[in-house]
Amino acid sequence: MQSKFLLHLLALLLLVSNVWSVSAQDPRADAAYKEGEATFKGQCASCHAVSKQVVGPALAGIQDRRDAAWINNWVKNSQAVVKSGDPYAVELFNKFNKSIMPAFNLSDKQIDNILTYVKVEVENPVAAAPAAAAPAEGGGVSNNMTLFLAIITFILLAVMLVLSRVTGSLNKLVKEKAGQLVPDSYSWMSILFSKKALAFLTLVAFILLGYATVEQAQSLGRQQNYAPVQPIKFSHKIHAGINKIDCQYCHSGASKGKSAVIPGPSLCMNCHKAIKEGPVYGKEEIGKIYAATGWNPDSMKYLNPPQPIEWVRIHNLPDHVYFNHSQHVKAGNVKCQTCHGEVQEMDLLKQHATLGMGWCVNCHRQTEVNFSGNNFYKDYEILHDKLKNDDISKVTVSDIGGLECQKCHY
Ligand code: HEC
Ligand code: HEC
Ligand code: HEC
Ligand code: HEC
Ligand code: HEC
Ligand code: HEC
């Protein structure tokens, strides 16, 4: 009886370890995948997604549509391929309203890695990441998978151990009933199945389970890297990067109040009455500003009723958190890029930080308050004097109350 059970136990363990090894061969752990992912996210993701059309076509299945040589030529200089008269390229170019894909200085190997990344993504779809955002950190999802398998394994083991104890005791009872004397054995089996071992295993399982739940709960509602497609293909790179327009020319609220403010279409018209064509989309996208303001570019008059542009909101703190831009931008002198990343390089804007509580609190612990020429800190003159007299070496945001709950929570 006991030995038969052992056999079953062994079989189950084998099964579990099989599942385990499958998860160990995670294709996302591959170096080619990782390099491809990095290049793709850095250089292609502003226009391409794997399985949906963004600015350019979805790249899923590209290796079935075109051979490697074609793809390499295309990525290195797509316009050269179009101009060579290649019928596929010409048709594609026309289909995408003659949108020009820039030329990339990438090696064949780098392009090959991108294709590996695309292929793996197609063959191993990720469980719906928050609102089509790319997974925050590579491997996050497969990590969860491993954790999940680990938990299942532990639960299975625990159940098996409990069962084996029960059968063991029953066996003993039956034998004792039959008059046989059964000595208490101190084999490895009895040690493994002892109450202490069981309690220990249960504890481990609970810790793992708790850890997984907390991880899950924390990632809910967080949208790092969230980059929705906007109603107008507005590019921060063209405006704030290439043309060096100041962030606060458009986001004029950032130094005045709580909200940085998204500019209305009439502000766009300051420039776009004159600038009628863009470098990438020609008249199409700028035409949408005219539609929103009711502007007729031919008669140069506002003829139609205006309509709002429905920008998709990207950053969104929960309702119970209070965040104020001017406090950070003006009083704190924090640069936009510290919190929002290199916005002036983004064609499609994405959320750079997690916006989690840990993110706020860590910065408040580390950032020193800048007292010079700042009336905002009148209340803290005592601290300032101590600083001047070298009684203390620095004053961080946390020293002026930046860790008090009610400062950030309603
Ligand atoms: C600025 C936007 C933009 C960027 C960045 C971009 N592409 Fe493109 N891509 C396009 C557009 C638009 C097309 C459609 C053809 C056209 O209009 O030229 C396209 C087409 C393609 C095609 C052909 C797809 C098909 O279905 O045949 C491939 C392959 C491709 N891109 C790969 C890449 C790779 C790899 C990168 C990153 C290294 C990249 N692209 C970066 C805009 C872009
Ligand atoms: C010409 C006007 C203009 C300039 C200049 C500009 N922005 Fe924007 N910004 C916009 C518009 C329009 C949107 C909404 C569309 C979008 O998200 O791309 C936006 C969106 C944003 C968002 C996301 C808002 C959300 O929904 O959460 C951030 C963050 C941002 N801008 C930061 C910056 C920073 C930092 C700079 C300077 C480096 C800058 N912007 C320069 C017009 C501008
Ligand atoms: C200390 C970090 C921090 C700095 C510095 C910062 N932001 Fe923000 N920004 C945020 C957070 C957090 C949100 C989300 C606010 C919310 O959901 O209520 C946000 C939201 C936005 C939005 C969306 C609209 C809004 O106000 O809610 C825009 C636009 C924006 N920021 C632009 C800027 C610009 C431009 C600058 C620089 C002048 C800047 N931010 C500096 C953290 C920062
Ligand atoms: C201070 C001037 C200025 C303001 C304000 C401004 N733009 Fe622009 N915009 C430009 C310039 C410059 C270009 C690039 C023209 C070029 O390179 O040919 C441009 C290009 C564009 C393009 C064309 C992109 C392409 O590649 O085809 C779009 C779309 C656009 N802007 C949208 C907007 C929107 C929406 C707003 C208001 C939120 C806005 N702009 C506000 C100066 C401005
Ligand atoms: C990049 C660093 C940084 C990040 C990230 C950051 N802060 Fe701050 N915060 C500062 C600085 C610097 C000050 C000091 C300016 C001042 O005294 O008001 C400050 C001050 C504050 C204050 C006023 C504290 C006081 O005692 O007057 C509040 C409230 C606040 N931040 C909330 C937030 C919230 C909420 C978040 C996250 C959503 C956040 N901050 C993220 C740097 C940061
Ligand atoms: C510097 C700003 C800041 C301070 C100080 C702060 N919080 Fe938060 N807190 C946040 C932000 C931002 C979130 C939203 C986190 C998210 O959405 O992931 C949050 C979320 C929470 C939540 C919801 C659970 C969660 O993690 O989302 C609780 C509960 C909470 N805070 C309690 C507190 C308590 C208690 C204190 C005082 C000891 C405190 N907070 C101090 C910024 C702050």
Side-chain angles (χ1 to χ4, degrees), residues 218 222 317-318 320-321 355-357 360-361 364 402-405 408-409:
Q218 283 188 340
R222 297 258 178 92
L317 286 169
H320 55 86
V321 182
L355 301 197
M357 181 161 144
C360 316
V361 167
H364 286 187
L403 299 189
E404 285 164 21
C405 314
C408 300
H409 290 290

Side-chain angles (χ1 to χ4, degrees), residues 269 272-277 283 286-304:
M269 290 300 282
H272 285 290
K273 265 186 195 167
I275 303 172
K276 296 173 187 162
E277 276 185 49
K283 293 188 171 160
I286 294 175
K288 292 181 188 167
I289 308 176
Y290 299 154
T293 49
W295 176 257
N296 184 318
D298 298 324
S299 62
M300 298 287 277
K301 283 196 182 96
Y302 290 104
L303 295 179
N304 301 313

Side-chain angles (χ1 to χ4, degrees), residues 230 234 236 246-247 250-251 311 314-315 336 340 343 349:
Q230 299 288 353
F234 176 82
H236 277 84
D246 185 43
C247 308
C250 292
H251 301 295
W311 300 112
I314 301 165
H315 298 74
C336 313
H340 292 299
V343 169
L349 198 118

Side-chain angles (χ1 to χ4, degrees), residues 160-362:
M160 284 180 328
L161 292 183
V162 169
L163 278 179
S164 88
R165 272 188 70 86
V166 172
T167 40
S169 316
L170 280 179
N171 248 347
K172 197 174 162 192
L173 261 177
V174 170
K175 283 183 184 160
E176 271 172 0
K177 259 244 163 96
Q180 285 173 305
L181 197 71
V182 189
D184 273 341
S185 61
Y186 287 96
S187 63
W188 63 271
M189 286 287 280
S190 71
I191 294 169
L192 188 63
F193 297 159
S194 74
K195 271 198 181 120
K196 271 185 195 146
L198 272 183
F200 175 72
L201 277 174
T202 323
L203 190 75
V204 171
F206 262 103
I207 290 172
L208 278 174
L209 210 70
Y211 174 72
T213 321
V214 169
E215 277 280 284
Q216 282 290 325
Q218 283 188 340
S219 60
L220 278 181
R222 297 258 178 92
Q223 317 192 47
Q224 194 174 22
N225 290 333
Y226 180 43
V229 177
Q230 299 288 353
I232 298 181
K233 296 202 176 83
F234 176 82
S235 159
H236 277 84
K237 188 174 173 185
I238 289 181
H239 291 87
I242 297 167
N243 289 293
K244 304 216 162 26
I245 305 171
D246 185 43
C247 308
Q248 295 192 39
Y249 177 83
C250 292
H251 301 295
S252 55
S255 58
K256 292 183 194 141
K258 183 176 178 306
S259 165
V261 178
I262 301 290
S266 60
L267 188 117
C268 314
M269 290 300 282
N270 289 351
C271 298
H272 285 290
K273 265 186 195 167
I275 303 172
K276 296 173 187 162
E277 276 185 49
V280 184
Y281 305 106
K283 293 188 171 160
E284 194 189 347
E285 296 297 320
I286 294 175
K288 292 181 188 167
I289 308 176
Y290 299 154
T293 49
W295 176 257
N296 184 318
D298 298 324
S299 62
M300 298 287 277
K301 283 196 182 96
Y302 290 104
L303 295 179
N304 301 313
Q307 287 154 348
I309 302 172
E310 313 247 332
W311 300 112
V312 182
R313 196 181 165 107
I314 301 165
H315 298 74
N316 220 342
L317 286 169
D319 288 342
H320 55 86
V321 182
Y322 173 80
F323 177 84
N324 185 314
H325 268 93
S326 77
Q327 197 157 44
H328 290 86
V329 173
K330 205 168 173 202
N333 224 339
V334 185
K335 276 176 60 191
C336 313
Q337 282 81 353
T338 313
C339 297
H340 292 299
E342 300 301 318
V343 169
Q344 72 284 356
E345 283 163 21
M346 300 177 190
D347 274 314
L348 183 65
L349 198 118
K350 70 172 183 196
Q351 180 173 321
H352 168 77
T354 60
L355 301 197
M357 181 161 144
W359 174 69
C360 316
V361 167
N362 280 341

Side-chain angles (χ1 to χ4, degrees), residues 48 74-79 93 98-104 280:
H48 290 285
W74 174 266
V75 175
K76 286 173 189 168
N77 191 344
S78 74
Q79 280 300 297
F93 185 55
K98 300 198 161 61
S99 295
I100 294 173
M101 170 169 144
F104 289 93
V280 184

